[in-house]
Amino acid sequence: MTDRLSEETRGVLIVGAGPAGLVLGNLLLAAGVDCVIVERQSRAHVEQRARAGFLAANTVRILTDAGLADGLLKDGRQHDTCAFRTESGEFELAYGDRGRGEAHTVYPQQHLVRDLVAEFLARGGDLRFGTAAVEIAGLASDRASVTVRTPDGGSHRLHGAFVAGCDGRHGTARATVPATAARRHVRDHGVSWLALLAAAPQSMAAVAYAVHRDGFAGHMARTPDVTRYYLQVDPGDDPDAWTDRRVWEALDRRMRTDVHGPLHRGEILERRVLAMRSDVLDPIQYGRLFLVGDAASLISPSAAKGANLAVMEAETLARALAARLHGDDERLLARYSADCLPRIWRAQEFSHWMIGLLHGPTGDGDEAAFLRALQHARLESLRTSRRHQDHFADNYVGI
Ligand code: RFL
């Protein structure tokens, strides 16, 4: 039996309800632009998916201006210091006092997503969970379409003036852009992290980056009861091979807890291996399809930029779509990609630099010793040079 295809016409078709799609949807609703969001997963799934936590000042400004920041202003915590631990000791960098003097707001991504979903629905938005985009077509016409698989297993086709591809790195939107229409800039940084969430309060006030011969280790606050830890592991490592005991031993050794004091331990709620990869599409628009967030560019989590780029792009696209649909002004939309890509590359450059700062070579050969000496010199520059600290601060919190 073949499915009967139902059809419907809407304004902007948004694929994906992560930070990118939800910020875009809320901004379009506020601008009076008709839109619909389709999301493959359930509401419970997206509201529990723990990922980012460090929101840049620009992100907080965009969300505050749009009336979307009540939760993060109430429960988010200001964060303005990071610490580097090396063989020679620990130094703290109070980045909130350097450069432009901006701080992060620590607020878990799943809480932000929960707030954005609630706000979108409260404002009368149309958000369909359990609804996966399977085909995006008609991008050269003024009647683009997204065909979706509905929760009951049926097929439905949405038509609209524009499609916003906010469906992440493995989504349908990115796969729709033909290889001949955009250049993909891909880099595997050759480094993997075991990303951990522990049911334990943070062990120190600062984000801590530990540079160790065994590999990098990181400590980042999330909520009063949950802390994110990272451990550099061999690419392709099985996360389950990292037992609780092995994890805490490695964290203790690399964070040098014998010198700096113990870590609060707790149940490990999540462990997954992340390969540090970058993947930037250029341009990030194709006909009537506009890519936003991870669908447009994947960035390593080394400098916590991904969700912040997603929000910046969503704001840029919302303004461009409103100008086009309300005022028939095509200019902002035509240069959406050109406006976003320099900021995407700035973030990529800083994240790439952070990867070099945090990961030294293993082994004892001449080349490894040379590269470790360079890494040490880089950290020393950051410890001692106020100019370097200003530059770091602007890039670390800026987007
Ligand atoms: P998302 O969040 O992946 O959302 C995409 C949504 O699209 C849905 N989807 C579909 N829906 C309909 N049809 C389809 N065919 C679909 N295919 C997919 C998915 O179910 C999903 O709901 O992308 P978005 O919105 O672009 O947001 C990007 C951010 O999630 C990402 O960049 C950050 O999480 C990266 N990141 C961090 N970013 C920061 O700014 N600060 C941080 O501190 C930070 N820490 C992190 C991170 C990412 C991590 N992981 C897991 C990769 C820490 C980690 C561990």
Short mmCIF file of all heavy atoms in Angstrom, two decimals, residues 49-74:
data_model
loop_
_atom_site.label_atom_id
_atom_site.label_comp_id
_atom_site.label_asym_id
_atom_site.label_seq_id
_atom_site.Cartn_x
_atom_site.Cartn_y
_atom_site.Cartn_z
N ARG A 49 18.93 16.50 26.18
CA ARG A 49 20.20 16.22 25.48
C ARG A 49 21.27 17.20 25.98
O ARG A 49 21.29 18.37 25.61
CB ARG A 49 19.96 16.36 23.98
CG ARG A 49 21.01 15.75 23.12
CD ARG A 49 20.56 15.66 21.66
NE ARG A 49 19.89 16.87 21.23
CZ ARG A 49 19.13 16.96 20.15
NH1 ARG A 49 18.94 15.93 19.37
NH2 ARG A 49 18.57 18.09 19.83
N ALA A 50 22.15 16.70 26.85
CA ALA A 50 23.17 17.56 27.47
C ALA A 50 24.33 17.74 26.50
O ALA A 50 24.90 16.77 26.02
CB ALA A 50 23.66 16.92 28.76
N ARG A 51 24.66 18.99 26.22
CA ARG A 51 25.81 19.27 25.34
C ARG A 51 26.55 20.48 25.85
O ARG A 51 27.35 20.39 26.76
CB ARG A 51 25.34 19.51 23.91
CG ARG A 51 24.90 18.25 23.21
CD ARG A 51 24.52 18.56 21.81
NE ARG A 51 24.27 17.37 21.03
CZ ARG A 51 23.85 17.41 19.79
NH1 ARG A 51 23.61 18.55 19.20
NH2 ARG A 51 23.66 16.29 19.12
N ALA A 52 26.23 21.64 25.28
CA ALA A 52 26.97 22.86 25.61
C ALA A 52 26.54 23.40 26.97
O ALA A 52 25.56 22.97 27.56
CB ALA A 52 26.73 23.91 24.54
N GLY A 53 27.28 24.41 27.41
CA GLY A 53 26.93 25.05 28.67
C GLY A 53 27.45 26.47 28.79
O GLY A 53 26.98 27.22 29.61
N PHE A 54 28.41 26.83 27.94
CA PHE A 54 29.02 28.15 28.06
C PHE A 54 28.46 29.08 27.00
O PHE A 54 28.75 28.94 25.81
CB PHE A 54 30.56 28.05 27.96
CG PHE A 54 31.16 27.72 29.30
CD1 PHE A 54 30.91 26.50 29.89
CD2 PHE A 54 31.91 28.66 29.98
CE1 PHE A 54 31.41 26.19 31.14
CE2 PHE A 54 32.42 28.37 31.24
CZ PHE A 54 32.17 27.14 31.82
N LEU A 55 27.66 30.05 27.45
CA LEU A 55 27.03 30.97 26.51
C LEU A 55 27.82 32.27 26.49
O LEU A 55 28.10 32.87 27.54
CB LEU A 55 25.58 31.24 26.93
CG LEU A 55 24.70 29.99 27.02
CD1 LEU A 55 23.28 30.36 27.44
CD2 LEU A 55 24.67 29.24 25.68
N ALA A 56 28.15 32.70 25.28
CA ALA A 56 28.92 33.93 25.11
C ALA A 56 28.03 35.14 25.37
O ALA A 56 26.80 35.06 25.31
CB ALA A 56 29.46 33.98 23.68
N ALA A 57 28.67 36.29 25.62
CA ALA A 57 27.93 37.52 25.92
C ALA A 57 26.99 37.89 24.78
O ALA A 57 25.85 38.33 25.00
CB ALA A 57 28.92 38.65 26.21
N ASN A 58 27.44 37.70 23.53
CA ASN A 58 26.61 38.04 22.38
C ASN A 58 25.35 37.17 22.33
O ASN A 58 24.26 37.62 21.98
CB ASN A 58 27.42 37.87 21.09
CG ASN A 58 26.66 38.37 19.88
OD1 ASN A 58 26.18 39.49 19.85
ND2 ASN A 58 26.51 37.50 18.86
N THR A 59 25.51 35.89 22.71
CA THR A 59 24.36 34.97 22.74
C THR A 59 23.35 35.45 23.77
O THR A 59 22.14 35.49 23.52
CB THR A 59 24.87 33.56 23.11
OG1 THR A 59 25.87 33.20 22.16
CG2 THR A 59 23.77 32.54 23.12
N VAL A 60 23.84 35.82 24.94
CA VAL A 60 22.95 36.27 26.01
C VAL A 60 22.24 37.56 25.58
O VAL A 60 21.05 37.75 25.83
CB VAL A 60 23.75 36.46 27.32
CG1 VAL A 60 22.87 37.05 28.42
CG2 VAL A 60 24.33 35.12 27.77
N ARG A 61 22.97 38.44 24.89
CA ARG A 61 22.35 39.69 24.42
C ARG A 61 21.21 39.39 23.43
O ARG A 61 20.11 39.94 23.56
CB ARG A 61 23.40 40.58 23.72
CG ARG A 61 22.79 41.87 23.17
CD ARG A 61 23.60 42.56 22.08
NE ARG A 61 24.01 41.77 20.94
CZ ARG A 61 23.24 41.48 19.89
NH1 ARG A 61 21.99 41.89 19.84
NH2 ARG A 61 23.73 40.78 18.88
N ILE A 62 21.47 38.50 22.47
CA ILE A 62 20.43 38.18 21.47
C ILE A 62 19.20 37.61 22.17
O ILE A 62 18.06 38.00 21.89
CB ILE A 62 20.99 37.15 20.43
CG1 ILE A 62 22.07 37.81 19.57
CG2 ILE A 62 19.87 36.59 19.56
CD1 ILE A 62 22.87 36.83 18.71
N LEU A 63 19.42 36.69 23.10
CA LEU A 63 18.30 36.03 23.78
C LEU A 63 17.57 37.02 24.69
O LEU A 63 16.34 37.01 24.78
CB LEU A 63 18.80 34.81 24.57
CG LEU A 63 19.42 33.70 23.69
CD1 LEU A 63 20.07 32.63 24.56
CD2 LEU A 63 18.36 33.07 22.77
N THR A 64 18.32 37.90 25.34
CA THR A 64 17.68 38.88 26.23
C THR A 64 16.84 39.86 25.42
O THR A 64 15.68 40.13 25.76
CB THR A 64 18.77 39.64 27.03
OG1 THR A 64 19.60 38.68 27.69
CG2 THR A 64 18.15 40.57 28.07
N ASP A 65 17.40 40.38 24.32
CA ASP A 65 16.66 41.34 23.49
C ASP A 65 15.36 40.73 22.97
O ASP A 65 14.38 41.44 22.75
CB ASP A 65 17.51 41.78 22.28
CG ASP A 65 18.66 42.69 22.71
OD1 ASP A 65 18.70 43.07 23.89
OD2 ASP A 65 19.52 43.00 21.85
N ALA A 66 15.37 39.40 22.76
CA ALA A 66 14.18 38.76 22.20
C ALA A 66 13.24 38.26 23.29
O ALA A 66 12.26 37.58 22.99
CB ALA A 66 14.62 37.60 21.30
N GLY A 67 13.55 38.55 24.55
CA GLY A 67 12.69 38.08 25.64
C GLY A 67 12.77 36.56 25.83
O GLY A 67 11.81 35.93 26.28
N LEU A 68 13.92 35.97 25.51
CA LEU A 68 14.06 34.51 25.59
C LEU A 68 15.04 34.09 26.68
O LEU A 68 15.51 32.96 26.70
CB LEU A 68 14.56 33.97 24.23
CG LEU A 68 13.65 34.23 23.03
CD1 LEU A 68 14.36 33.88 21.72
CD2 LEU A 68 12.36 33.42 23.15
N ALA A 69 15.38 35.02 27.56
CA ALA A 69 16.49 34.75 28.48
C ALA A 69 16.05 34.65 29.95
O ALA A 69 16.91 34.60 30.83
CB ALA A 69 17.55 35.83 28.33
N ASP A 70 14.74 34.55 30.21
CA ASP A 70 14.32 34.54 31.63
C ASP A 70 15.02 33.43 32.42
O ASP A 70 15.53 33.65 33.50
CB ASP A 70 12.79 34.35 31.73
CG ASP A 70 12.06 35.61 31.28
OD1 ASP A 70 12.75 36.60 30.94
OD2 ASP A 70 10.81 35.58 31.23
N GLY A 71 15.03 32.22 31.87
CA GLY A 71 15.61 31.08 32.57
C GLY A 71 17.10 31.26 32.80
O GLY A 71 17.60 31.05 33.90
N LEU A 72 17.81 31.67 31.76
CA LEU A 72 19.27 31.75 31.92
C LEU A 72 19.68 32.94 32.79
O LEU A 72 20.69 32.88 33.49
CB LEU A 72 19.99 31.75 30.57
CG LEU A 72 19.94 32.96 29.66
CD1 LEU A 72 21.13 33.86 29.92
CD2 LEU A 72 19.98 32.48 28.22
N LEU A 73 18.86 34.00 32.78
CA LEU A 73 19.20 35.13 33.66
C LEU A 73 18.92 34.77 35.11
O LEU A 73 19.60 35.22 36.02
CB LEU A 73 18.41 36.38 33.25
CG LEU A 73 18.78 36.95 31.87
CD1 LEU A 73 17.89 38.14 31.52
CD2 LEU A 73 20.25 37.36 31.80
N LYS A 74 17.92 33.90 35.32
CA LYS A 74 17.58 33.50 36.69
C LYS A 74 18.56 32.43 37.22
O LYS A 74 19.10 32.56 38.30
CB LYS A 74 16.15 32.96 36.69
CG LYS A 74 15.61 32.60 38.06
CD LYS A 74 14.09 32.37 37.96
CE LYS A 74 13.63 31.28 38.89
NZ LYS A 74 13.91 29.92 38.49
#
